[in-house]
Amino acid sequence: MIIARTPEALHDALGKDGTLVLVPTMGNLHAGHLSLIRKGLEVGDRVVASIFVNPTQFGPGEDFERYPRTLDADVSMLADAGCHAVFAPDVDVLYPFGAEHTVSIHVPEVTDILCGSIRPGHFDGVATVVAKLFLAVAPDVAVFGRKDYQQLVLIRRLVRDLGFPIDIVAGDIVREADGLAMSSRNAYLEAADRAAAPAIYRALAAVREAVERQATLEEAIASGHRTLAVAGLTAEYIELRRAGDLGPAGEDDAQLVALIAAQVGAARLIDNVRILRQER
Ligand code: AMP
């Protein structure tokens, strides 16, 4: 497997043949990331995983410094999964003028809602680094997880608006046996928090179940809050949105997504489920 620190080294080693797939990550890989690598191998000829903890998507006081960095373990997991190359640039490769002086991309409508309203600047950092990774790697396809649903919608919009010639492919959420969505941040959970955390998925299931039995959106969200409360958790938000563009869900929209963010001990966790509402 190729390990490259610069775009030049990556392209020298890769050559130009076949469909190139990029799977962007921040490392500390788990089975959720590896499912995206497998998806990449299905849709393309060669898969590049990028590993980059992007400073511009972390706000002041967030976990940029303590975010787990496990490059050696990540590289061996990627090699075992059949990944062809790892692109692991230093900060100054992607931000040659310094991260605080970067040109920044703002994607309207989907940036300031949901997690964006709680983490100002986060999605500008995401849009900017993903654009930089797209330019550096020049993939034909890029794979993103539905785990970060708002990020996925934002990237589809970025690609469409700036005309990146890249197909965006989405991978399903990989969960632990008890329903907790896999996340690098689950490592921050103490035992009691880890025991409470699966209530996030149960709350999403409660929202879905309520929508499916034709409850109003308000009632559905209230049942999610009640499920969290039983586990001693409080949501930063529980929202039902249109699945396509995260616009406000109306009572007549069929394709919905329920999204939750909750602080659980030291970890801020997010999760979502898509819901297809039957005609009434
Ligand atoms: P991260 O390393 O957390 O930035 O995530 C890198 C990519 O992996 C993103 O596209 C995430 O949506 C995706 N991802 C993270 N966790 C999961 C999961 N549990 N299942 C599927 N994809 C995931």
Side-chain angles (χ1 to χ4, degrees):
M1 189 173 65
I2 298 160
I3 300 175
R5 295 277 182 189
T6 64
E8 295 73 24
L10 178 71
H11 290 294
D12 283 353
L14 266 178
K16 287 198 183 323
D17 290 341
T19 301
L20 185 62
V21 182
L22 172 65
V23 180
T25 83
M26 298 205 298
N28 192 236
L29 302 183
H30 51 64
H33 297 112
L34 297 181
S35 75
L36 303 184
I37 302 292
R38 281 198 300 279
K39 183 136 230 165
L41 291 166
E42 277 166 36
V43 299
D45 301 306
R46 279 163 324 149
V47 176
V48 178
S50 62
I51 296 181
F52 183 66
V53 184
N54 172 39
T56 65
Q57 71 189 71
F58 289 80
E62 291 190 354
D63 56 346
F64 175 67
E65 258 83 37
R66 71 187 167 109
Y67 196 86
R69 289 159 171 89
T70 53
L71 186 62
D72 291 348
D74 293 346
V75 163
S76 88
M77 286 167 82
L78 290 169
D80 289 349
C83 189
H84 298 90
V86 177
F87 177 51
D90 288 331
V91 171
D92 60 359
V93 171
L94 289 190
Y95 295 102
F97 297 94
E100 61 282 18
H101 301 290
T102 187
V103 170
S104 179
I105 298 182
H106 179 77
V107 181
E109 279 100 40
V110 289
T111 288
D112 295 325
I113 58 174
L114 300 165
C115 285
S117 68
I118 295 158
R119 305 181 69 188
H122 169 68
F123 285 113
D124 292 349
V126 170
T128 300
V129 80
V130 169
K132 284 172 175 280
L133 288 167
F134 284 174
L135 292 166
V137 177
D140 303 294
V141 179
V143 185
F144 292 86
R146 291 200 173 89
K147 162 75 169 39
D148 298 274
Y149 196 89
Q150 186 174 2
Q151 171 175 285
L152 175 65
V153 171
L154 172 124
I155 284 158
R156 288 194 192 282
R157 175 74 193 274
L158 171 80
V159 163
R160 209 182 65 198
D161 205 350
L162 295 189
F164 280 106
I166 300 174
D167 284 337
I168 302 301
V169 169
D172 283 333
I173 300 175
V174 177
R175 300 179 179 283
E176 303 285 357
D178 59 12
L180 177 64
M182 288 193 182
S183 164
S184 305
R185 291 191 168 99
N186 292 350
Y188 302 158
L189 296 170
E190 308 274 355
D193 300 325
R194 175 63 188 80
I200 293 173
Y201 184 53
R202 290 201 299 277
L204 288 167
V207 174
R208 177 165 56 193
E209 195 266 328
V211 171
E212 285 171 354
R213 71 176 147 74
Q214 312 284 9
T216 65
L217 301 183
E218 236 175 33
E219 286 163 357
I221 287 169
S223 84
H225 283 293
R226 281 196 300 276
T227 306
L228 279 186
V230 170
L233 300 182
T234 310
E236 281 180 359
Y237 63 76
I238 303 182
E239 293 208 32
L240 274 161
R241 295 265 175 169
R242 287 197 301 257
D245 62 3
L246 292 179
E251 293 293 340
D252 293 330
D253 289 311
Q255 302 202 29
L256 304 177
V257 57
L259 309 105
I260 292 185
Q263 188 74 36
V264 184
R268 181 177 185 279
L269 302 181
I270 56 171
D271 197 356
N272 65 86
V273 298
R274 288 179 296 162
I275 303 172
L276 188 61
R277 186 158 51 170
Q278 305 299 321
E279 259 181 54
R280 299 194 220 201

